[in-house]
Amino acid sequence: MRIDKNLCERRGREYSDSKKNRRRQRMISPVERLYETCKETFANCGPGVVPSAEKIERLKEVLDTMAGADVGLRPNMPYFKSIRYDRPPTITYLHLHECDKFSIGIFCLPPSAVIPLHDHPGMTVFSKLLFGEMHIKSYDWVDNLPAEPTPLAKPLDNGLGDATTGIRLAKVKMNSVFRAPCKTSILYPADGGNMHCFTAKTACAVLDVLGPPYCDPEGRHCQYYYDFPFSNNSVPEEQKGDYAWLKEREKPDDLTVVGAVYKGPKMVK
């Protein structure tokens, strides 16, 4: 049997190149894979533009597999300890990346820390609980009911002045406790729970991807809200807990978020 030497050499090179590609893929860290996938996902997006379902699923799959160890975090690190007990715990934010298309960062919450109810104007947001146990409550706006309260649908006045001024009706999207490992939560510009509140039950790390990121000059300001119980005689009693009146507020005085240097695996940009 005659052997084609050139064919053998060519196949040998192809096999070698294939091995190198597989080795290179194995060497990419989860953080680098996340960054590259974010670049692809948000490449053609902007404010109010949602990535395709295929791209969303691809990014979700990458995030679903990630844990604290992939970003160099452990629950016993100083970020997750309260050093003062006369005010709410300080939350630490680790910045990984930001451009005009998307941002990547990690919120480190000690037990009982709260990220108050806030919105994400024109954004698609992926939130992955890397470790810990966290309560998440989220809302979407209701557009098919009156936006202003009537005498039968008046929010409670909890000493905050005229509680019926400048408020809007919202529907509860999520009101659940999550324990890591769990799937990635996704919210969209108009649904999926665009306004949400995080409450840490234990030490928690939350990896957030925002597309696009907040930008005050472009109108993407982080707006905080109070939520008031909903009461309306036209709504069955068992459904009243599904709604709330949301009222705009300033950033809470007792909310402290500090930045810290991310020291986990690096991203090659």
Side-chain angles (χ1 to χ4, degrees), residues 4-217:
D4 188 329
K5 183 178 179 182
N6 291 332
L7 177 62
C8 289
E9 290 178 350
R10 185 166 64 252
R11 287 182 174 176
R13 287 194 299 270
E14 290 174 354
Y15 177 73
S16 177
D17 291 342
S18 177
K19 283 183 66 178
K20 289 179 181 177
N21 288 335
R22 289 198 299 270
R23 190 181 304 115
R24 189 178 299 115
Q25 289 175 359
R26 286 196 298 268
M27 290 172 61
I28 295 177
S29 71
V31 168
E32 288 183 290
R33 187 175 296 111
L34 172 62
Y35 171 71
E36 293 298 332
T37 307
C38 285
K39 284 204 304 183
E40 296 173 4
T41 300
F42 296 106
N44 299 314
C45 295
V49 179
V50 178
S52 68
E54 180 183 357
K55 290 182 177 179
I56 286 174
E57 185 59 29
R58 189 178 304 137
L59 179 52
K60 180 179 180 298
E61 288 177 355
V62 171
L63 285 164
D64 281 346
T65 64
M66 295 188 68
D70 296 320
V71 291
L73 291 177
R74 302 180 307 278
N76 62 352
M77 298 176 79
Y79 305 135
F80 306 101
K81 299 181 186 298
S82 296
I83 58 175
R84 292 183 58 178
Y85 298 96
D86 58 341
R87 59 178 293 124
T90 295
I91 298 167
T92 302
Y93 180 76
L94 307 178
H95 170 81
L96 278 72
H97 173 79
E98 183 170 330
C99 61
D100 61 343
K101 293 291 187 179
F102 65 93
S103 66
I104 305 173
I106 304 168
F107 287 97
C108 304
L109 293 83
S112 78
V114 176
I115 298 179
L117 186 63
H118 62 284
D119 67 357
H120 307 81
M123 303 178 193
T124 302
V125 179
F126 297 73
S127 297
K128 171 63 167 123
L129 183 62
L130 299 174
F131 57 74
E133 182 176 325
M134 172 175 286
H135 178 264
I136 300 177
K137 189 170 188 178
S138 64
Y139 297 91
D140 286 318
W141 295 123
V142 174
D143 294 321
N144 58 349
L145 288 176
E148 292 296 329
T150 68
L152 295 177
K154 186 175 181 180
L156 298 177
D157 184 348
N158 294 326
L160 299 170
D162 186 358
T164 66
T165 301
I167 72 171
R168 188 173 173 185
L169 187 63
K171 182 176 176 60
V172 176
K173 177 68 176 182
M174 181 185 300
N175 189 13
S176 304
V177 173
F178 289 78
R179 298 176 184 85
C182 56
K183 297 296 184 180
T184 303
S185 298
I186 308 173
L187 62 84
Y188 304 94
D191 59 15
N194 189 275
M195 291 79 68
H196 66 198
C197 172
F198 290 168
T199 303
K201 299 295 185 181
T202 66
C204 294
V206 182
L207 176 57
D208 256 8
V209 175
L210 279 60
Y214 289 107
C215 181
D216 286 348

